[in-house]
Amino acid sequence: MAENWQTVDDYIAEKLLGSDPALEAALSANAAAGLPPIDVSAPAGRMLSLFARMLGAKRILEVGTLGGYSTICFARALPEGGRIVTLEIDPHHAEVARSNLAAAGVADAVEIRVGPAIASLDAMRAQGEARFDLVFIDADKQSNADYVRAALDLTRPSAAIIVDNVVRNGKVIDPASNDAMVQGTRRLYDYLAQETRLDATAIQTVGSKGWDGFVLALVKG
Ligand code: SAH
Ligand code: DHB
Ligand code: MG
């Protein structure tokens, strides 16, 4: 990673985000609990929060909770009575997230569902879960196409679907990659290319997490 990317992210965070004790405490608790440091960056977390406010999102679905850093960013963007449902396969991650969300004062707005996300999404579809305004997909990259397909059944028209980590240091353009995450991301692009119910783009990013990017898709209609 170019070392400037980290320094510029620090500058942006200092100028525009200020100190954020709840998010900083969540990162410390994650590290103490041995969680991998793969949360969204502070500037990206603010962006997710702003996206939620742009949409006026009242119901948000997240796939991949980790310690709840991005969950806190979304929860803060919700209006009174709003809700975020976040899916996590690892009970230890979910436990750490529960504690971080409580410490951040947003636990009441968040529901963590523990289990493989595909199973949770299937159950939500079967049980007629109320529609979501925004979906953030940030779990196992192998399943990204399946997650977007499932999200289409759970969102309202004009909902936004955001998928993290879709550039992976540029590795995404290598059709011969033996990295399962890269192959999963390539399947996501193939899926999006033929999915007529979505308008989608992908934006490359650099920063404290290196060179990566996200997909932004809007549900038509
Ligand atoms: N959104 C978080 C980071 C998520 S990291 C943040 O920015 O703060 C990815 C998470 O997805 C990890 O906690 C991992 O355990 C979880 N995950 C991986 N595979 C999963 C699956 N099949 N179902 C649900 N969660 C999964
Ligand atoms: C990984 C996962 C992420 O969600 C991320 O933002 C960065 C890295 C990973 O599994 O390597
Ligand atoms: Mg990610």
Side-chain angles (χ1 to χ4, degrees):
M1 183 205 315
E3 64 272 18
N4 278 354
W5 296 348
Q6 172 78 64
T7 314
V8 173
D9 250 5
D10 292 344
Y11 175 80
I12 290 168
E14 183 193 325
K15 285 292 175 186
L16 303 183
L17 309 183
S19 91
D20 195 321
L23 288 178
E24 283 153 26
L27 292 182
S28 301
N30 288 356
L35 271 52
I38 55 175
D39 335 67
V40 294
S41 70
R46 173 67 63 84
M47 181 190 73
L48 294 176
S49 190
L50 295 174
F51 278 163
R53 287 165 57 194
M54 286 162 66
L55 285 157
K58 297 184 180 66
R59 286 178 50 78
I60 298 174
L61 172 63
E62 177 175 73
V63 184
T65 315
L66 192 64
Y69 187 99
S70 53
T71 319
I72 294 169
C73 297
F74 281 127
R76 286 170 166 177
L78 290 170
E80 195 62 39
R83 195 146 193 85
I84 171 163
V85 177
T86 182
L87 312 181
E88 173 56 54
I89 197 169
D90 186 319
H92 177 55
H93 294 183
E95 203 46 55
V96 174
R98 218 164 265 125
S99 160
N100 287 337
L101 293 160
V106 299
D108 286 353
V110 183
E111 192 180 327
I112 306 177
R113 298 192 190 160
V114 181
I118 284 293
S120 298
L121 292 165
D122 283 347
M124 291 163 89
R125 286 193 282 186
Q127 288 156 22
E129 175 91 23
R131 300 274 163 159
F132 293 94
D133 308 301
L134 170 58
V135 182
F136 179 53
I137 297 171
D138 188 22
D140 55 314
K141 313 310 171 192
Q142 294 87 328
S143 306
N144 272 342
D146 298 325
Y147 293 150
V148 174
R149 196 179 289 109
L152 269 168
D153 290 335
L154 292 164
T155 42
R156 63 154 168 89
S158 297
I161 300 173
I162 300 164
V163 188
D164 196 22
N165 310 118
V166 298
V167 174
R168 313 288 309 189
N169 280 303
K171 288 184 202 146
V172 67
I173 60 172
D174 178 10
S177 173
N178 49 26
D179 180 337
M181 296 201 235
V182 169
Q183 289 301 344
T185 303
R186 290 179 62 83
R187 280 196 299 279
L188 169 68
Y189 282 98
D190 290 341
Y191 165 72
L192 290 173
Q194 54 78 59
E195 178 50 79
T196 56
R197 295 174 291 174
L198 288 169
D199 288 319
T201 188
I203 295 297
Q204 300 185 70
T205 55
V206 296
S208 58
K209 296 187 65 189
W211 173 25
D212 214 325
F214 61 90
V215 156
L216 174 62
L218 278 200
V219 180
K220 288 187 193 172

